[in-house]
Amino acid sequence: MMKIQLKRVYDDFDENDGYRVLVDRLWPRGISKARLHYDLWAKDITPSSKLRIWVHEDMEGRWDDFAMAYRKELSQSSAVHKFTEQIKQYDKVTLLYASRETKHNHAIILKGYLEKLLSE
């Protein structure tokens, strides 16, 4: 079974990361495209701009509603199916995100969603 892990884009590159996927809609600040080691930029499976802006207004207070809304977006997205087909061939996939917040960020929700989807 594939292993999916999370890593901040600002953390050091490691060859053991496997297939590295940037899962932010916006390019991370302070990092050039040449400097970031990534295999795919999967903008289409990130939260919609409207949802992302909404949750950032009150991350703690809106987190549970955000998680539910983002899962709904994922379930209705054809890009998710395409993405899972792209990554199925890899033993390890690392989802890269820029947020400083390690407990409340969309990559955590995406990881859980993908793990559940790929195990079915």
Side-chain angles (χ1 to χ4, degrees), residues 9 21-29 33 36 40-53 56 66 70 73-74 77 79-80 96-99 106-107 110:
V9 295
V21 182
L22 177 60
V23 293
D24 281 343
R25 186 167 294 271
L26 305 174
W27 189 261
R29 290 182 183 176
K33 288 186 179 181
L36 181 61
L40 176 68
W41 185 6
K43 291 186 244 185
D44 294 339
I45 61 169
T46 63
S48 64
S49 294
K50 182 178 177 180
L51 187 57
R52 180 179 47 82
I53 291 167
H56 282 284
F66 167 77
Y70 181 38
E73 283 186 353
L74 290 169
S77 170
V80 171
L96 303 169
Y97 66 94
S99 177
H106 74 282
L110 178 60

Side-chain angles (χ1 to χ4, degrees), residues 1-4 18-21 39-40 81-93 118:
M1 186 174 161
M2 175 194 307
K3 178 180 179 182
I4 300 176
Y19 192 70
R20 292 168 51 97
V21 182
D39 299 298
L40 176 68
H81 175 72
K82 182 180 174 186
F83 178 72
T84 57
E85 289 302 313
Q86 286 178 288
I87 65 171
K88 277 184 178 179
Q89 62 184 307
Y90 300 100
D91 293 329
K92 188 184 293 184
V93 173
L118 291 166

Side-chain angles (χ1 to χ4, degrees), residues 7-23:
K7 191 171 193 178
R8 290 192 71 225
V9 295
Y10 304 104
D11 294 340
D12 291 335
F13 168 75
D14 186 334
E15 289 187 18
N16 293 321
D17 288 343
Y19 192 70
R20 292 168 51 97
V21 182
L22 177 60
V23 293

